[in-house]
Amino acid sequence: MDTSGTTRFGRTVQIPRLAELKAVRPREGAGDLLDVLRTGPFEAALDSAVRASGLSLERIQHRLAERGVEISVTTLSYWRRGRSRPERPQSRQAVRLLEELLDIPTDGLVSLLGPRRPRGRWVNRDSEVLETERLWREFGSLPELLAELGSTDDGLLRVAAHDSYELDAQGAGIRLTTRLTLKATRDRVDRCVVVLRGEDPDRALPEFTGVHNARLGRLRSDRSVPLVVAELFLDRTLSEGGTTLVEYTLRFPKNGRRAEECGRGFHAPALLYTLEVAYHPDAVPVRCLRCSSTAVTGIPLSAEPVWISAAGRVHAVFENPGPGFRALRWEWR
């Protein structure tokens, strides 16, 4: 579909012949799989194939990696739930391998994707799921930290987020309060995984306090960055589509370095991100920018000045933020 939404363009795709579909060896759920391969949509066919195979998404990811294709469990989960579709060349290659791994006839899944959508700097950016490795691409220790907590996919969509950051008279952060509106993308979701990046490797790690609707689980960290991965166990297990609100506060030790930014990374599209920063009256920056980038340490795709109030407060509202990093960055005298 073109960007005006009024004209549809397509191309001819190869549809598997009925005889080919019948060639799939019988297994549990094979009848349903054959039906959905004929009719689609892609996500329903992929979900049926995964169920029929008996393989976990983690096992499928591992087998794809053995064949040289790196796709995160989060991405596989979103393909399966229809939250995003394979668009990039590597993603299309992964679908070809999925047909082999899941014992599906050639083009059984690819034929359901149709033509690739238009690509460009801003076209359909929000339809993508950004893999952890790309969002945090300069932090080589993160995959290992996540692996120590098990699956990298916590099964939760960040529908909305609100961060409130406070700084001291030296310009160092003293408190960050976060409120998250979360929605389960699958059944039996019982935890939220949080990734935190600090400013000062010499500073002690922050303390989680005021945790609501969840309790703190394991913590893993790389003090050289510093980087922290934490799990929060939800007060109740969510079924697919279920929602919950989680709140927590991070208290930072005294005598830290001056902070220069605060922000949040998004793997998938959200509805709303609100960020507010409260500076100490004795340490107010000369300029503050509202920034968006494709990675946590990436060059901003956009940077717009925002007003710092007489009370030393600033905020930014990001509506429908797509995958990437959204932040406020400031300059000191």
Side-chain angles (χ1 to χ4, degrees):
M1 183 183 297
D2 69 352
T3 55
S4 68
T6 60
T7 307
R8 183 176 298 274
F9 297 90
R11 63 175 175 85
T12 301
V13 295
Q14 182 180 353
I15 305 298
R17 296 188 300 273
L18 182 60
E20 290 178 316
L21 294 178
K22 290 183 176 179
V24 179
R25 59 183 175 83
R27 54 188 168 176
E28 183 180 356
D32 292 339
L33 176 57
L34 293 179
D35 289 339
V36 76
L37 282 173
R38 295 187 187 98
T39 62
F42 169 81
E43 59 269 20
L46 178 58
D47 182 60
S48 295
V50 171
R51 291 177 185 274
S53 73
L55 297 173
S56 67
L57 292 184
E58 287 80 6
R59 186 59 181 166
I60 292 173
Q61 180 202 33
H62 177 71
R63 292 189 178 182
L64 288 173
E66 289 180 334
R67 289 161 172 81
V69 175
E70 298 289 341
I71 297 293
S72 70
V73 172
T74 299
T75 297
L76 290 172
S77 176
Y78 274 79
W79 290 354
R80 187 179 178 187
R81 302 301 178 189
R83 294 293 306 176
S84 68
R85 292 170 67 83
E87 291 288 335
R88 294 179 293 120
Q90 185 184 32
S91 298
R92 295 266 172 155
Q93 181 185 358
V95 175
R96 293 285 187 190
L97 289 176
L98 283 172
E99 292 174 347
E100 176 185 339
L101 293 175
L102 302 177
D103 198 15
I104 295 172
T106 301
D107 290 335
L109 289 175
V110 171
S111 65
L112 298 174
L113 289 174
R116 291 185 64 192
R117 286 179 273 190
R119 307 298 296 172
R121 183 175 179 185
W122 297 107
V123 176
N124 287 328
R125 289 178 65 250
D126 291 355
S127 67
E128 295 288 335
V129 172
L130 194 60
E131 298 171 12
T132 300
E133 293 78 5
R134 291 179 61 198
L135 182 61
W136 298 81
R137 60 191 177 206
E138 293 188 15
F139 300 91
S141 60
L142 181 60
E144 182 177 350
L145 297 178
L146 290 170
E148 291 183 19
L149 298 186
S151 171
T152 59
D153 175 23
D154 61 12
L156 290 169
L157 175 66
R158 276 63 174 170
V159 178
H162 182 189
D163 288 329
S164 180
Y165 190 42
E166 299 176 51
L167 288 78
D168 63 18
Q170 285 70 49
I174 55 175
R175 186 181 300 107
L176 173 66
T177 298
T178 294
R179 300 176 183 86
L180 299 173
T181 303
L182 305 170
K183 182 177 181 180
T185 61
R186 54 178 167 80
D187 290 333
R188 297 184 298 278
V189 173
D190 61 0
R191 68 170 188 162
C192 173
V193 177
V194 177
V195 180
L196 307 166
R197 176 179 66 100
E199 295 275 351
D200 187 354
D202 298 325
R203 199 180 194 188
L205 297 177
E207 176 188 3
F208 276 84
T209 64
V211 180
H212 298 289
N213 299 328
R215 61 182 175 83
L216 184 63
R218 294 171 293 178
L219 292 171
R220 296 293 184 268
S221 64
D222 178 357
R223 296 296 299 273
S224 67
V225 175
L227 195 64
V228 179
V229 177
E231 63 180 354
L232 301 174
F233 289 106
L234 305 180
D235 283 351
R236 61 188 180 91
T237 301
L238 300 179
S239 299
E240 182 176 359
T243 59
T244 189
L245 303 176
V246 170
E247 179 177 337
Y248 58 86
T249 295
L250 295 172
R251 294 187 181 276
F252 300 93
K254 296 181 179 180
N255 303 320
R257 293 181 186 174
R258 274 190 166 186
E260 295 181 347
E261 71 169 15
C262 183
R264 174 172 295 273
F266 291 89
H267 293 280
L271 293 181
L272 184 67
Y273 176 43
T274 306
L275 171 60
E276 56 180 336
V277 178
Y279 303 104
H280 191 278
D282 295 335
V284 178
V286 295
R287 188 169 72 139
C288 186
L289 299 174
R290 177 184 187 273
C291 301
S292 297
S293 57
T294 57
V296 172
T297 56
I299 298 174
L301 296 174
S302 65
E304 305 168 357
V306 293
W307 178 257
I308 303 175
S309 73
R313 303 181 71 91
V314 64
H315 79 277
V317 176
F318 300 88
E319 297 184 45
N320 302 308
F325 188 64
R326 306 292 184 271
L328 286 172
R329 297 176 179 174
W330 49 88
E331 299 175 8
W332 300 105
R333 291 185 177 83

